[in-house]
Amino acid sequence: MAARGESDGRGGRPPRPRDAAATRRALLEAARELFASVGYDAATVRAVADRAGVNQALLFRHFGNKEGLFAEAISGEAMTVLEDGPPEELLRRTLGAIMADDRSGTELFFAVLRSTGSSEAGKLMRAELESRWAGTFATLAATDDPDDAALRAELVLAWLLGIGLLRTVIATHPIAGADPDTISAHVLRGAQAILDGRADAPASTRTAGSDDPAS
């Protein structure tokens, strides 16, 4: 017996009949692809629905509006990276997702990078990043000061997003063509030093033009 299809809002059925769960998945996948490729503002609900092969009325039925769709689309991607291992490995997982050749696992980061100019998307992204990435990184900071932990976490997060921007959107060299493992090794050392509060020597103890700490 064929699966019961979902009405397309016009009294008929979508081009490819599917149940509500399949429709929802198709809309989320289409939204992630479009938000990643053109950004929040340029990705219209009609374009998302067309890409998913359904009427846009179904998008509103499942997600309420474009903002709701964006929030759930990036949340799903965030949870994939966040929960696919222990918190202490989040830095490595995030780097891997940002630099992966297969974009299917990096839509969240491209959507973040391409949608930062939108006030609506910006609010959603800030809430997502603060509560998930920055919050997790803050728990890994070697400090009892919550404000300092939050600062270190956001510094790491800003660095990761900047790397993604330079490597995949602006495509500057040498970072765009560098070996991902080499980049990861450098970034992991630097980011861990930020979280741990380590430094070879404070800037205030260095003499001008010298790498040796001042006595």
Side-chain angles (χ1 to χ4, degrees), residues 58-71:
L58 292 176
L59 185 153
F60 294 115
R61 179 183 302 174
H62 284 283
F63 303 102
N65 52 33
K66 181 178 172 181
E67 290 86 351
L69 174 64
F70 186 83

Side-chain angles (χ1 to χ4, degrees), residues 91 140-142 152 155-156 159 186-200:
L91 181 58
L140 303 176
R152 296 188 200 184
L155 286 171
V156 170
W159 193 17
H186 290 314
V187 174
L188 286 170
R189 286 194 299 270
Q192 195 62 57
I194 293 173
L195 293 174
D196 291 345
R198 299 197 313 266
D200 292 337

Side-chain angles (χ1 to χ4, degrees), residues 84-102:
D84 193 25
E88 56 269 22
E89 291 293 325
L90 178 59
L91 181 58
R92 189 180 300 275
R93 293 197 303 274
T94 304
L95 267 172
I98 287 174
M99 294 187 294
D101 291 331
D102 181 1

